[in-house]
Amino acid sequence: MRSAFIEELVALAAVHDNIALIVGDLGFGVIEPFADRFPDRFFNAGVAEQNMASMAAGMASEGYHVFTYSIANFPTFRCAEQIRNDIAYHGLPVTTVAVGAGLAYGSLGYSHHAVQDYALMRAMPGMMIAAPGDPLEVRACLRWLVANPGPSYLRLGKSGDPRFHDAVPDIEPGKWLTLRDGDRILLSTGAALGAALARAQSSHQGFGVCSLPLWGMATKASQLDQASTAQTVIAMEDHLADGGFGSWLWEAVSADPAIAARISSIALSDTVCGQVGSQAALNAIGGLTCTQ
Amino acid sequence: MVARADASHIGSALSITDIVAVLYSGALRVDPAEPRMPGRDRFILSKGHACVAIYAALAETGFFPRELLKSYGTDQSPLMAHISHKVPGAEFSAGALGHGLSFGTGKALAAARRGFDWRTVVLMSDGEMAEGSNWEAMMFAAHHRLDRLTAIIDYNKLQSLGTVADTLGLEPLAAKLTAFGWTVREVDGHDHAALATVLSPTRWEAGKPQALIAHTTKGKGVGFMENRVEWHYKSPNPEQLAEALAGLAENGDA
């Protein structure tokens, strides 16, 4: 997802001269194509995420669409208040980009496990969460975010993520993308898409698979109609169950108890917190993927 | 305003009133008829709790009707009790400390990259200098030579529970700011002529952001409020308000 991100961002920045990229001293081997081509719009804020986020807001208030880039929890939790007050409350076009979301940096330990970020970001009014499921959804998300500038959070996996679409899909906020048809649905967000497709061939045979790459507080209203067309919806996420995507979906449909009763979730258990290992191993320990 | 709203922070507002008066009587390039004028100077109040001083200045200079001041701090008033960007003439909502300088640094960076000459002026408190984000911004602004950025530090030497010196001492403040790559001046923050000179648009030193340490008195102008921590919290009762206004009138400041 990282290379799709930077390729697409460079392509968009060639057209939109207000796109700027600020990195928090991370991105070696990733961000150079942007830095080399647009040196006037590239900044390294240093290891200083609070200043990075507020400064991005300041630039955005002067007409830039700023992308801040760092890994795991650094561009979110470290500067949560700056995102809340300076970016989201002011309604400014800053896209916070986190790479290595979920357990992609599994071996690096708890500091690098981004498994509570949805809980943080979805609590902010006006914040659009972009959680693509594969590199083609990354491109689709970026195109949407640039066409609709505002406070947003782009949650990326790592390099070498598999592709699940044939072409860049058309996406809209709150709208489920169908990858496999079915009356019962595994509805995935972010990098859990691979796990959802795998479950549809193992523990959940016969299930359809949908991906929801754009969501947030503002898109809740569109969920009930979509959920009502399925017999069962299982939300899937590489994030703790608490405050995550499944919680969001359940809240979104809870006005109709009959529909809400069809919703359940497969998310990470907190038993994964503090454990160390490969992403695959930790996703299995956390209960996202099947262990057979 | 503060008494009517039964609000706090009058001491913090009086501390910066002279600075704000100088800024809005000519030092800042702003136009009440066009609050979003592209070439305006950007003024950011980082110590958002002192917003009454700004609201008064904005009303006095015609950004909005003076009548609106009466709504300060009341239900659903646009004039909330921390500075709000929804008020004409206010650039940024603050309230949490340690945000304004970073936000202003972003504005100054945008201006520098696009070749604009307008200034960004950030007014900060002394207590908020304990926020690490400010020192992150200091490093960034100096590294990128943002010499149209000015930070004014309202150094009244009192913070929430006592003196700055007894809380987390800032001294040697000027030396610290200088070491961070800023050009530093100190001024009596109640001396209008000195403030007007130092806050003129002329750069102090090419290539360096500017830090103005303004030595001030918390609660300035109201004898029973000056240098008293409790006026960070208390709201004057009618008798105290009358006494304060009478005192200011006697000194020609009302």
Side-chain angles (χ1 to χ4, degrees), chain A residues 26-40:
Chain A
L26 286 165
F28 183 79
V30 177
I31 48 81
E32 291 82 357
F34 189 102
D36 292 344
R37 185 152 170 201
F38 308 109
D40 282 351

Side-chain angles (χ1 to χ4, degrees), chain A residues 176-188 196 200 204 206-212 226-227 229-236 249 262-266:
Chain A
W176 305 1
L177 281 177
T178 300
L179 284 92
R180 290 170 60 114
D181 288 317
D183 297 330
R184 296 172 296 166
I185 298 291
L186 292 165
L187 175 65
S188 160
H204 291 70
F207 274 66
V209 176
C210 295
S211 177
L212 179 49
Q226 294 177 94
T229 64
Q231 293 170 8
T232 298
V233 181
I234 303 175
M236 289 190 64
L249 183 66
R262 302 177 192 174
I263 307 291
S264 62
S265 125
I266 296 176

Side-chain angles (χ1 to χ4, degrees), chain B residues 8-96:
Chain B
S8 303
H9 303 130
I10 183 61
S12 311
L14 291 171
S15 178
I16 61 167
T17 299
D18 290 308
I19 297 167
V20 172
V22 169
L23 286 170
Y24 281 92
S25 58
L28 287 178
R29 180 172 47 184
V30 291
D31 183 357
E34 196 186 350
R36 307 292 295 170
M37 177 176 69
R40 72 192 183 281
D41 290 335
R42 274 63 165 172
F43 172 73
I44 291 160
L45 182 70
S46 189
K47 45 174 289 183
H49 55 281
C51 59
V52 282
I54 309 302
Y55 293 155
L58 291 172
E60 193 66 32
T61 50
F63 281 87
F64 55 80
R66 291 185 66 167
E67 188 67 17
L68 186 61
L69 294 176
K70 292 180 181 166
S71 77
Y72 170 75
T74 59
D75 291 350
Q76 310 229 292
S77 168
L79 303 185
M80 64 182 195
H82 281 92
I83 191 79
S84 169
H85 69 285
K86 296 172 184 173
V87 174
E91 302 279 351
F92 179 62
S93 290

Side-chain angles (χ1 to χ4, degrees), chain A residues 140-186:
Chain A
C141 284
L142 267 173
R143 291 173 196 178
W144 191 92
L145 293 171
V146 169
N148 300 275
S152 49
Y153 172 51
L154 178 58
R155 184 193 211 249
L156 299 177
K158 51 180 182 175
S159 58
D161 296 299
R163 290 165 59 143
F164 301 117
H165 294 275
D166 297 327
V168 177
D170 290 326
I171 60 172
E172 345 175 345
K175 189 177 173 193
W176 305 1
L177 281 177
T178 300
L179 284 92
R180 290 170 60 114
D181 288 317
D183 297 330
R184 296 172 296 166
I185 298 291
L186 292 165

